[in-house]
Amino acid sequence: MRRTSFEDMNCSLAQCLEVVGEWWTLLIVRDALFGVTRFDDFRDRLGIARNVLTQRLEGLVEHEIMTREPYQDNPVRYDYRLTAKGRSLWQVITAMRQWGDEWAAPNGPPVEVLHRTCAHLTTIEPTCSHCGERVHGRDLALRDGPGAGDRSPLPESLRR
């Protein structure tokens, strides 16, 4: 079943989902963050069909989340490497992983994260970029940003 496109929706989350919202895409990015770069390694690790992997990798390259760099000439084979745009998805993947650890991992987290500096287990917590205070959803207010124009993604009750 083909999903509806979010291309015309004036919402940053919808635009993110337009690029990385397919089932396999974030798992490919996750593996790339783990250091996987080769087509066959992605396929073997994920158990993904060849045609689906090809489509997802092409989309990631098209959206400049990954680059395709030849490592062999005959036949031509490629490494798929994350760009800065792709590496910045670690925050999205970390938030989703931490949610899964809390709500969908009854036997505990399948992967634990250590902070290299202090060598302790850690979770990533959102903080205010201005004052450094830890932020919770209840601490936030929303308003239209400069890109809202006359197509605000906010409900009428939240608009100022």
Tab-separated table of all heavy atoms in Angstrom, residues 8-15 142-159:
chain	number	residue	atom	x	y	z
A	8	ASP	N	3.788	18.388	0.656
A	8	ASP	CA	3.155	19.709	0.680
A	8	ASP	C	2.780	20.182	2.076
A	8	ASP	O	2.246	21.276	2.234
A	8	ASP	CB	1.909	19.702	-0.207
A	8	ASP	CG	2.261	19.497	-1.674
A	8	ASP	OD1	3.363	19.938	-2.088
A	8	ASP	OD2	1.443	18.902	-2.396
A	9	MET	N	3.031	19.374	3.098
A	9	MET	CA	2.664	19.753	4.456
A	9	MET	C	3.725	20.688	5.041
A	9	MET	O	4.912	20.381	5.006
A	9	MET	CB	2.512	18.499	5.320
A	9	MET	CG	1.840	18.755	6.653
A	9	MET	SD	1.610	17.235	7.615
A	9	MET	CE	0.367	16.410	6.653
A	10	ASN	N	3.309	21.819	5.577
A	10	ASN	CA	4.228	22.798	6.166
A	10	ASN	C	4.508	22.415	7.618
A	10	ASN	O	3.974	23.011	8.551
A	10	ASN	CB	3.641	24.210	6.071
A	10	ASN	CG	4.658	25.266	6.460
A	10	ASN	OD1	5.860	25.056	6.327
A	10	ASN	ND2	4.186	26.401	6.941
A	11	CYS	N	5.326	21.387	7.778
A	11	CYS	CA	5.643	20.863	9.113
A	11	CYS	C	7.013	20.186	9.025
A	11	CYS	O	7.220	19.302	8.191
A	11	CYS	CB	4.572	19.861	9.536
A	11	CYS	SG	4.970	18.925	11.016
A	12	SER	N	7.929	20.589	9.870
A	12	SER	CA	9.280	20.016	9.835
A	12	SER	C	9.278	18.521	10.134
A	12	SER	O	10.067	17.766	9.549
A	12	SER	CB	10.192	20.756	10.807
A	12	SER	OG	10.348	22.093	10.404
A	13	LEU	N	8.421	18.073	11.044
A	13	LEU	CA	8.336	16.646	11.334
A	13	LEU	C	7.847	15.881	10.103
A	13	LEU	O	8.405	14.844	9.733
A	13	LEU	CB	7.405	16.385	12.523
A	13	LEU	CG	7.148	14.919	12.868
A	13	LEU	CD1	8.438	14.171	13.157
A	13	LEU	CD2	6.182	14.810	14.027
A	14	ALA	N	6.828	16.411	9.429
A	14	ALA	CA	6.323	15.764	8.213
A	14	ALA	C	7.411	15.704	7.148
A	14	ALA	O	7.544	14.691	6.448
A	14	ALA	CB	5.092	16.506	7.685
A	15	GLN	N	8.202	16.762	7.013
A	15	GLN	CA	9.275	16.776	6.016
A	15	GLN	C	10.368	15.771	6.378
A	15	GLN	O	10.943	15.124	5.498
A	15	GLN	CB	9.843	18.184	5.841
A	15	GLN	CG	8.828	19.171	5.276
A	15	GLN	CD	8.130	18.649	4.038
A	15	GLN	OE1	8.770	18.232	3.072
A	15	GLN	NE2	6.806	18.651	4.057
A	142	LEU	N	4.820	26.753	22.429
A	142	LEU	CA	5.009	26.775	20.982
A	142	LEU	C	4.483	28.083	20.402
A	142	LEU	O	3.544	28.668	20.928
A	142	LEU	CB	4.250	25.605	20.334
A	142	LEU	CG	4.610	24.213	20.830
A	142	LEU	CD1	3.675	23.178	20.226
A	142	LEU	CD2	6.049	23.872	20.516
A	143	ARG	N	5.107	28.521	19.319
A	143	ARG	CA	4.607	29.660	18.559
A	143	ARG	C	5.014	29.463	17.112
A	143	ARG	O	5.943	28.711	16.816
A	143	ARG	CB	5.134	30.982	19.106
A	143	ARG	CG	6.621	31.175	18.904
A	143	ARG	CD	7.089	32.508	19.448
A	143	ARG	NE	8.494	32.712	19.148
A	143	ARG	CZ	9.250	33.602	19.764
A	143	ARG	NH1	8.736	34.390	20.685
A	143	ARG	NH2	10.522	33.724	19.432
A	144	ASP	N	4.328	30.168	16.222
A	144	ASP	CA	4.685	30.084	14.813
A	144	ASP	C	6.099	30.598	14.608
A	144	ASP	O	6.494	31.618	15.192
A	144	ASP	CB	3.726	30.925	13.959
A	144	ASP	CG	2.391	30.226	13.736
A	144	ASP	OD1	2.363	28.980	13.783
A	144	ASP	OD2	1.400	30.922	13.505
A	145	GLY	N	6.863	29.889	13.791
A	145	GLY	CA	8.209	30.315	13.440
A	145	GLY	C	8.193	31.066	12.123
A	145	GLY	O	7.148	31.219	11.482
A	146	PRO	N	9.369	31.512	11.686
A	146	PRO	CA	9.440	32.309	10.460
A	146	PRO	C	8.982	31.552	9.216
A	146	PRO	O	8.557	32.167	8.241
A	146	PRO	CB	10.914	32.694	10.362
A	146	PRO	CG	11.642	31.817	11.303
A	146	PRO	CD	10.662	31.335	12.317
A	147	GLY	N	9.019	30.239	9.221
A	147	GLY	CA	8.593	29.466	8.064
A	147	GLY	C	7.109	29.147	8.040
A	147	GLY	O	6.623	28.525	7.100
A	148	ALA	N	6.361	29.566	9.062
A	148	ALA	CA	4.939	29.234	9.125
A	148	ALA	C	4.138	29.933	8.035
A	148	ALA	O	3.258	29.333	7.426
A	148	ALA	CB	4.365	29.583	10.498
A	149	GLY	N	4.462	31.193	7.783
A	149	GLY	CA	3.694	31.943	6.789
A	149	GLY	C	2.217	31.868	7.109
A	149	GLY	O	1.813	31.936	8.273
A	150	ASP	N	1.395	31.668	6.080
A	150	ASP	CA	-0.040	31.551	6.310
A	150	ASP	C	-0.472	30.087	6.421
A	150	ASP	O	-1.645	29.772	6.396
A	150	ASP	CB	-0.825	32.263	5.205
A	150	ASP	CG	-0.535	31.711	3.818
A	150	ASP	OD1	0.332	30.833	3.683
A	150	ASP	OD2	-1.186	32.177	2.866
A	151	ARG	N	0.503	29.177	6.561
A	151	ARG	CA	0.228	27.732	6.669
A	151	ARG	C	0.780	27.183	7.967
A	151	ARG	O	1.558	26.246	7.989
A	151	ARG	CB	0.840	27.003	5.482
A	151	ARG	CG	0.220	27.377	4.157
A	151	ARG	CD	0.832	26.653	2.976
A	151	ARG	NE	1.189	25.273	3.285
A	151	ARG	CZ	2.260	24.672	2.781
A	151	ARG	NH1	3.066	25.305	1.969
A	151	ARG	NH2	2.522	23.432	3.084
A	152	SER	N	0.382	27.743	9.091
A	152	SER	CA	0.876	27.293	10.388
A	152	SER	C	0.514	25.826	10.630
A	152	SER	O	-0.617	25.423	10.395
A	152	SER	CB	0.253	28.134	11.504
A	152	SER	OG	0.626	27.602	12.764
A	153	PRO	N	1.474	25.050	11.122
A	153	PRO	CA	1.162	23.663	11.484
A	153	PRO	C	0.503	23.578	12.861
A	153	PRO	O	0.038	22.501	13.251
A	153	PRO	CB	2.529	22.977	11.477
A	153	PRO	CG	3.499	24.073	11.761
A	153	PRO	CD	2.902	25.332	11.189
A	154	LEU	N	0.446	24.680	13.594
A	154	LEU	CA	-0.116	24.666	14.953
A	154	LEU	C	-1.643	24.720	14.919
A	154	LEU	O	-2.226	25.408	14.069
A	154	LEU	CB	0.402	25.872	15.747
A	154	LEU	CG	1.893	25.884	16.070
A	154	LEU	CD1	2.270	27.206	16.748
A	154	LEU	CD2	2.260	24.707	16.946
A	155	PRO	N	-2.288	24.071	15.883
A	155	PRO	CA	-3.733	24.239	16.015
A	155	PRO	C	-4.053	25.700	16.341
A	155	PRO	O	-3.242	26.394	16.964
A	155	PRO	CB	-4.105	23.336	17.194
A	155	PRO	CG	-2.920	22.472	17.448
A	155	PRO	CD	-1.734	23.161	16.865
A	156	GLU	N	-5.201	26.151	15.961
A	156	GLU	CA	-5.615	27.536	16.169
A	156	GLU	C	-5.444	27.966	17.624
A	156	GLU	O	-5.015	29.077	17.920
A	156	GLU	CB	-7.075	27.718	15.729
A	156	GLU	CG	-7.545	29.150	15.702
A	156	GLU	CD	-6.865	29.985	14.624
A	156	GLU	OE1	-6.664	29.471	13.513
A	156	GLU	OE2	-6.526	31.143	14.914
A	157	SER	N	-5.735	27.062	18.564
A	157	SER	CA	-5.678	27.396	19.990
A	157	SER	C	-4.263	27.750	20.468
A	157	SER	O	-4.101	28.352	21.525
A	157	SER	CB	-6.232	26.254	20.838
A	157	SER	OG	-5.460	25.083	20.642
A	158	LEU	N	-3.235	27.341	19.730
A	158	LEU	CA	-1.838	27.602	20.138
A	158	LEU	C	-1.208	28.778	19.396
A	158	LEU	O	-0.084	29.172	19.710
A	158	LEU	CB	-0.978	26.355	19.919
A	158	LEU	CG	-1.319	25.144	20.765
A	158	LEU	CD1	-0.427	23.978	20.394
A	158	LEU	CD2	-1.218	25.458	22.244
A	159	ARG	N	-1.908	29.330	18.426
A	159	ARG	CA	-1.333	30.418	17.636
A	159	ARG	C	-1.453	31.734	18.370
A	159	ARG	O	-2.423	32.011	19.036
A	159	ARG	CB	-2.036	30.547	16.286
A	159	ARG	CG	-1.744	29.368	15.421
A	159	ARG	CD	-2.274	29.591	14.043
A	159	ARG	NE	-2.540	28.271	13.485
A	159	ARG	CZ	-3.408	28.043	12.556
A	159	ARG	NH1	-4.104	29.028	12.024
A	159	ARG	NH2	-3.587	26.836	12.108
